[in-house]
Amino acid sequence: MNQHIQKIAELDRVIHEPGRLMIVALLFAVERSDFLYLQHETGMNKGTLSSHLSRLEEAGYVEVVKTYRGKIPQTLLSLTAKGREAFVEYRRKLKEAL
Amino acid sequence: MDQIESILQRPKLYNNVDGVGELGMAFMLLGFGLLSWLQARSPAGAIWHRMDVFVMWVGLMLLGIHYGSKAIKKHITYPRTGFVEYRNLKSTRLSALVLGCATALLTALGLYLAARTHWKIDGSHWGLTTPVALIGLVFVVFYVLHMVSAVRWKLAAAAAMAVCSVAIAVLPAGVVGAVAGSASAVATLDERSSGAWLLTIVLYGAILLISGAISFVLYLQHTQPPVRVAE
């Protein structure tokens, strides 16, 4: 098999999904953000965004913290160290593959 | 890859999604402009020329901008389009510290040398107000790089600032010098350069104020605070 094609097969499938890629890229550039920011930036509905975040949380890439802003519930999200490493690696492999 | 890079830039642009970044800069420039105007219109012994008043003025201005921006973010931006906490990396802090120290040292050295030699920066040294225009145009380049890629109509604000800088550089010396008034009597710059500085910061401040206010109004029109249900 061609080496470039092999590289594509090695891409992290958790991150490679377009919706999750958007989330991880947005979180990579910040310390943390809330659910509303990700919803606004990605244009996803709450259900879809929650489902992607659950998948990323399961993989250990995203940390979810439920808190309050005054009396309003707020969900804060950040990339874990493992998530940051995985995204850096994903970009490296993608660059090699393209 | 380009699409990933553009997504990585989005949180930086989000900082001015409501125009608050520009409004803060506008208030800072107009604040300095107002103080310079007060200095220009008052005799050399007036309180506006005192260093303690200058420090207090700058301190109050920075506090106002800092807490004003924070209040807008907390009560308007975050409830509408979400909260973001930016990364505060050690390397970024260190480079900002080094850059700040180097700038402060060079400025202090320049002022010390100017005061020691009673040096006047005038037309014979610098070619009239060209340095002021160049500094303005450098600011315009940074503005274009940071703002225009995200919001196309900001190109009009950048063009207006560039036109102002060029216009100030070619205005008759008497007109620009008259703006400085007595401020140049206590400054290192000559009348024309002082006038050019004052005109530049006031006009740039006014343009940024208009641009930031338009962004803020558009932001309010196009966003609504969401109805809160369990996430």
Side-chain angles (χ1 to χ4, degrees):
Chain A
M1 199 194 287
N2 185 304
Q3 264 192 331
H4 286 295
I5 297 171
Q6 268 183 338
K7 289 279 177 196
I8 292 174
E10 286 169 12
L11 289 173
D12 188 328
R13 282 156 201 263
V14 177
I15 296 179
H16 194 57
E17 198 285 328
R20 289 195 287 271
L21 179 57
M22 274 197 283
I23 295 168
V24 173
L26 285 167
L27 288 176
F28 186 80
V30 300
E31 188 63 42
R32 59 185 179 160
S33 79
D34 68 359
F35 189 92
L36 180 61
Y37 170 75
L38 287 181
Q39 202 187 345
H40 177 256
E41 286 292 313
T42 59
M44 291 182 208
N45 62 40
K46 284 183 180 180
T48 310
L49 183 55
S50 289
S51 138
H52 283 315
L53 285 170
S54 299
R55 182 76 189 84
L56 289 166
E57 195 181 12
E58 274 170 30
Y61 291 172
V62 166
E63 188 187 9
V64 182
V65 176
K66 303 266 184 187
T67 179
Y68 284 89
R69 184 170 49 81
K71 288 180 180 176
I72 301 163
Q74 188 182 33
T75 307
L76 291 174
L77 306 139
S78 58
L79 273 192
T80 59
K82 185 181 172 189
R84 287 192 179 276
E85 276 170 32
F87 184 63
V88 170
E89 187 66 11
Y90 171 82
R91 283 174 76 194
R92 190 184 63 77
K93 282 185 177 165
L94 189 64
K95 216 176 250 179
E96 284 173 8
L98 294 175
Chain B
M1 282 307 283
D2 289 345
Q3 282 170 326
I4 295 176
E5 291 303 323
S6 80
I7 295 172
L8 287 168
Q9 294 304 315
R10 286 198 65 81
K12 276 187 202 166
L13 301 171
Y14 183 70
N15 193 36
N16 193 51
V17 72
D18 44 14
V20 167
E22 277 177 293
L23 288 175
M25 193 167 283
F27 282 119
M28 192 161 73
L29 290 175
L30 291 174
F32 276 119
L34 179 60
L35 180 64
S36 302
W37 183 81
L38 287 169
Q39 287 174 340
R41 301 289 157 222
S42 57
I47 57 161
W48 306 116
H49 295 286
R50 280 170 39 189
M51 185 51 81
D52 55 341
V53 172
F54 173 78
V55 171
M56 213 183 320
W57 182 283
V58 173
L60 286 173
M61 207 167 66
L62 292 178
L63 280 176
I65 291 167
H66 176 74
Y67 287 106
S69 305
K70 255 185 140 174
I72 292 175
K73 292 282 181 198
K74 186 179 173 188
H75 297 289
I76 296 172
T77 312
Y78 296 158
R80 284 168 185 255
T81 49
F83 161 82
V84 169
E85 185 182 315
Y86 293 94
R87 298 199 81 193
N88 191 9
L89 296 171
K90 220 177 192 176
S91 55
T92 314
R93 283 202 306 267
L94 195 68
S95 45
L97 190 72
V98 169
L99 192 70
C101 286
T103 309
L105 269 173
L106 285 173
T107 309
L109 186 69
L111 288 174
Y112 170 74
L113 287 174
R116 198 180 158 89
T117 57
H118 306 288
W119 187 43
K120 284 263 180 187
I121 301 169
D122 58 18
S124 60
H125 290 91
W126 289 85
L128 303 172
T129 54
T130 310
V132 179
L134 284 178
I135 292 169
L137 291 174
V138 167
F139 177 84
V140 171
V141 169
F142 277 104
Y143 181 84
V144 168
L145 290 174
H146 282 89
M147 300 284 183
V148 177
S149 57
V151 189
R152 292 279 168 204
W153 66 261
K154 298 270 181 199
L155 196 59
M161 285 190 275
V163 167
C164 283
S165 277
V166 174
I168 291 165
V170 296
L171 269 177
V175 176
V176 180
V179 177
S182 62
S184 58
V186 290
T188 302
L189 300 173
D190 71 337
E191 269 183 15
R192 187 171 179 184
S193 300
S194 294
W197 269 118
L198 183 52
L199 275 175
T200 302
I201 59 175
V202 169
L203 288 173
Y204 274 44
I207 292 165
L208 288 173
L209 185 69
I210 293 167
S211 174
I214 292 172
S215 290
F216 188 60
V217 170
L218 288 175
Y219 176 77
L220 291 179
Q221 280 177 350
H222 292 108
T223 58
Q224 290 295 324
V227 181
R228 285 278 172 182
V229 290
E231 285 167 355

